[in-house]
Amino acid sequence: MQNWNHVTGTMGAETGVPVQVLHGGAAANSMDKALAEEALLHERLPALMLYRAARRQSAAALSTPVGVVLVALAHWTGSGAAIVPYFVVLSILFVIYNQVVARRIVALRNEPLQALEYESRFVLGQLAAGAAWGLNGWMVPDMNLVVWTASDVFACLILVYVSCVTLITLAHNPRALIAATCAMWLVSIAPVLFQHEAMGESLIIIAGVLGLLGTTMIFGRMLMIQTRRGVLAELQREDLTECLRVANLGLEQALRSAVEAASHDPLTGALNRRALYTRAQQIAAERRRHDGPCAVLLLDLDHFKRINDRHGHAAGDAVLAALASTLRGALREIDVIARWGGEEFLVLLPDCDMESALVRAEQVRAEVSCMDVSVLPPAYPVRVSIGAAAWPQDQTLDQSIGRADQALYAAKDAGRDRVVQAA
């Protein structure tokens, strides 16, 4: 589906409004530019202007019945009474027709090509409505202004008023504006052509109407050019805004990727040492405010060198990645997991006392022993040794890590595959 603001393009000297061609956040090639320009000139711009004209015409049509009633009341008993029924019926029919067409165009806002298929019907409807208003000229008895009544003057004033309203409502669609205005004034002066007994006055009236019509067309053209440029500028802003949005999304994604690469181990997805210390500083600041406990777990895969020697380094990498995934599944979301060394992982457990830390360490050890790594033989034993230590507020993180490291060595010396608490 193609919407009003989907395609971008570059305008030439015809409009004087440059529109930059942007595609996917980068400059498109020459063929893309040509296609975008053609879409802008022959699809987006005409469709949007037709949509705006339909919206305005639909809103203005709500007051049309009021004008029809006023004209009918003014001429109901005058010299133009015979024309009133035709005027009323035709005006109401064309209002209904134009409302149906306008609402259909508005409903197709996101389908510009289909909306443009209704333009000829829209123009035809405006031409017919203008001709119906032109019947006001048929209600004037003759060109002798001395015998004119207030209703006759009102008939001429209503034509001028409708011309002004048409100029405003149809400025977005030149063909509809020309059709409605010309139809109204040409129909209104048609009776003058048959009044041979007052041909001198008739010629003056015809010349005056044609002069008024020409002046209206001149100002209408100026208004249409200004309107067209305004719509083009609006499309340019929307295109540029969309391009900037896409570019910003790309930059944000690139920034997130850069931060991810700078702070995470590429193999396991765990934090690296620098990111771990940054997170530890945040935890330390929170603990100074809330005085909560914290524990440190230092993990080391048992006989990891044997896995690399027997099954290759690719198998060793798979085991490390599986261990990191197991840690993320076994621990809480607030726990911090970092790759500390080759086969060592460090875990910070905020708001966790030593007793709870030992329980979680045992859960981790048990889940690691149940890991099934596809690159290893079935039921291949993967074990881990864990050293656990508290991180009191009066000690640095490095001091607590040193104590956990000593506990890890004790676990290794005691036969591996176990959890040992630091002294």
Side-chain angles (χ1 to χ4, degrees), residues 228-283:
R228 180 185 176 88
R229 289 179 176 176
V231 174
L232 278 172
E234 180 181 341
L235 291 176
Q236 178 191 23
R237 288 193 300 269
E238 292 175 352
D239 292 341
L240 182 58
T241 300
E242 176 64 16
C243 176
L244 291 176
R245 185 188 68 82
V246 173
N248 286 335
L249 288 177
L251 290 175
E252 291 175 2
Q253 181 62 37
L255 179 61
R256 284 195 296 267
S257 299
V259 171
E260 184 80 10
S263 60
H264 288 73
D265 173 57
L267 174 62
T268 64
L271 296 179
N272 55 28
R273 285 200 178 197
R274 182 175 60 181
L276 170 72
Y277 278 108
T278 300
R279 185 68 184 97
Q281 291 175 356
Q282 298 172 351
I283 293 175

Side-chain angles (χ1 to χ4, degrees), residues 119-197:
E119 184 177 17
S120 58
R121 305 180 196 180
F122 182 77
V123 173
L124 179 61
Q126 299 308 311
L127 184 147
W133 282 108
L135 291 177
N136 278 269
W138 294 60
M139 301 178 190
V140 178
D142 53 44
M143 295 298 102
N144 186 0
L145 303 183
V146 177
V147 299
W148 275 20
T149 63
S151 61
D152 299 329
V153 176
F154 177 75
C156 295
L157 292 179
I158 200 68
L159 293 175
V160 176
Y161 171 78
V162 173
S163 293
C164 295
V165 173
T166 302
L167 195 63
I168 296 173
T169 57
L170 297 180
H172 287 85
N173 193 277
R175 290 196 289 174
L177 174 60
I178 294 173
T181 304
C182 292
M184 181 179 65
W185 285 106
L186 293 178
V187 170
S188 67
I189 65 173
V192 177
L193 302 176
F194 303 100
Q195 296 180 7
H196 300 289
E197 68 280 2

